[in-house]
Amino acid sequence: MILVTGGAGFIGSNFVLDWLAQSDEPVLNLDVLTYAGNLENLASLQGDARHVFVQGDICDRALIDRLLAEHRPRAIVHFAAESHVDRSIHGPGAFMRTNIEGTYTLLEAARAHWSGLDDAAKAAFRFHHVSTDEVYGSLGASDPAFTETKAFEPNSPYSASKAASDHLVRAWFHTYGLPVVTTNCSNNYGPYHFPEKLIPLMIVNALASKPLPIYGDGQNVRDWLYVCDHASAIRAVLAGGRLGETYNIGGWNEKTNLEIVHTVCDLLDELKPDAAGSYRRLITYVKDRPGHDRRYAIDARKVERELGWRPAETFETGIRKTVQWYLDHPDWVAHVQSGAYRDWVSQNYAERQAD
């Protein structure tokens, strides 16, 4: 069994679905179910004995200790995090608590659990910390892509909190010997993405004939990674990554925000045309956000060289799958926008952790 934190969120739920599609090894899924955690992402696993869901907070040390003692997972894959930059600017406290205090709590619980294992189980145990390329800061137009040795230069409360968590994981390896690996990924996209991030927001707003807001001049660059490719990379690093090492996970897809929005509009024009005209007519430029990093780019050659991983999807194939998924799942969109999924949680899952 593995323990996954944040396994009802966007990346976490895609990882859980991918894991159980590839393996019969059970997943203990711990998620506090904030606004971005949605058990409807995991509806296909309802009644599947391989998936054990517990609603709970990674800052709850007693809960973590109980789960580790009861289920004795061979690995922890740590996704749980507050991750929206805009939210971190307006309310940084939640990011400090979840991303720093929560990671510290997990590390200490994992260390206590690992210390009590026999030699064979100790050698097999892993703590996989999932992080972001935003810890590296911002690149100029001609700067080389981020490598794993790039100094951290976080520019938002979100990225600062993730950088702090990365440092904690590194320290617990070097100080205590806890067997850790860390992955820093580029921007993910794909199914089950909460519609506050760029790609799902553009899809949902366009279908509702709402404005498509683009910060500044739209020339900020991100490297885009299809979420199922991210899941396969995590499996590869968990299985074969060197202890204490960091691996950058990217899609080799640098695109400006404006390019992304144009691509989404053009696909919608093809797949669900609007009688009023091209969806590009809805594009609206808005004031840039504070500390908006200009460019991110991931150099993912290390994970390819050491573990043989490369993304299976091009941006063209991945974005088409993504747009089609949102067109095929209007009920999911309606639920996450209305909050009805919270009722679904209480109606469909019995094992919940009391506050």
Side-chain angles (χ1 to χ4, degrees), residues 39-256:
L39 279 176
E40 204 165 337
N41 298 359
L42 302 164
S44 63
L45 300 178
Q46 191 174 357
D48 190 329
R50 300 173 301 161
H51 180 239
V52 179
F53 179 78
V54 176
Q55 184 178 1
D57 190 340
I58 59 170
C59 293
D60 184 343
R61 175 63 187 272
L63 170 63
I64 305 299
D65 286 344
R66 178 176 71 78
L67 293 176
L68 292 175
E70 180 180 341
H71 296 278
R72 300 181 66 80
R74 69 171 182 87
I76 297 172
V77 184
H78 176 33
F79 293 97
E82 295 285 348
S83 66
H84 193 253
V85 173
D86 286 357
R87 288 179 182 266
S88 81
I89 292 169
H90 298 294
F95 290 73
M96 304 305 118
R97 181 182 184 276
T98 299
N99 299 354
I100 301 176
E101 182 184 340
T103 300
Y104 163 74
T105 302
L106 275 174
L107 286 167
E108 280 292 84
R111 181 165 72 95
H113 170 71
W114 172 73
S115 296
L117 298 175
D118 61 39
D119 288 346
K122 259 189 170 182
F125 186 81
R126 295 292 183 272
F127 185 105
H128 186 136
H129 177 59
V130 181
S131 191
T132 172
D133 60 356
E134 297 194 33
V135 300
Y136 296 123
S138 185
L139 291 170
S142 60
D143 290 341
F146 298 134
T147 66
E148 291 82 357
T149 59
K150 168 72 169 64
F152 283 12
E153 296 180 283
N155 293 317
S156 71
Y158 161 60
S159 57
S161 69
K162 287 299 289 184
S165 70
D166 290 12
H167 286 314
L168 290 174
V169 172
R170 174 185 169 86
W172 260 242
F173 170 72
H174 285 280
T175 302
Y176 303 113
L178 186 69
V180 307
V181 287
T182 296
T183 49
N184 292 83
C185 69
S186 59
N187 282 43
N188 282 222
Y189 68 100
Y192 304 112
H193 204 174
F194 191 81
E196 66 178 358
K197 301 294 180 76
L198 179 64
I199 289 175
L201 179 64
M202 295 302 109
I203 297 170
V204 170
N205 277 15
L207 293 173
S209 296
K210 294 180 178 179
L212 307 181
I214 297 179
Y215 281 130
D217 61 4
Q219 295 306 304
N220 299 76
V221 174
R222 299 294 181 262
D223 178 7
W224 292 92
L225 173 67
Y226 190 62
V227 67
C228 296
D229 282 330
H230 190 191
S232 72
I234 291 170
R235 282 192 284 108
V237 173
L238 185 63
R242 289 184 289 129
L243 295 185
E245 289 292 312
T246 295
Y247 294 88
N248 284 347
I249 312 298
W252 301 102
N253 293 306
E254 286 189 60
K255 305 284 183 184
T256 68

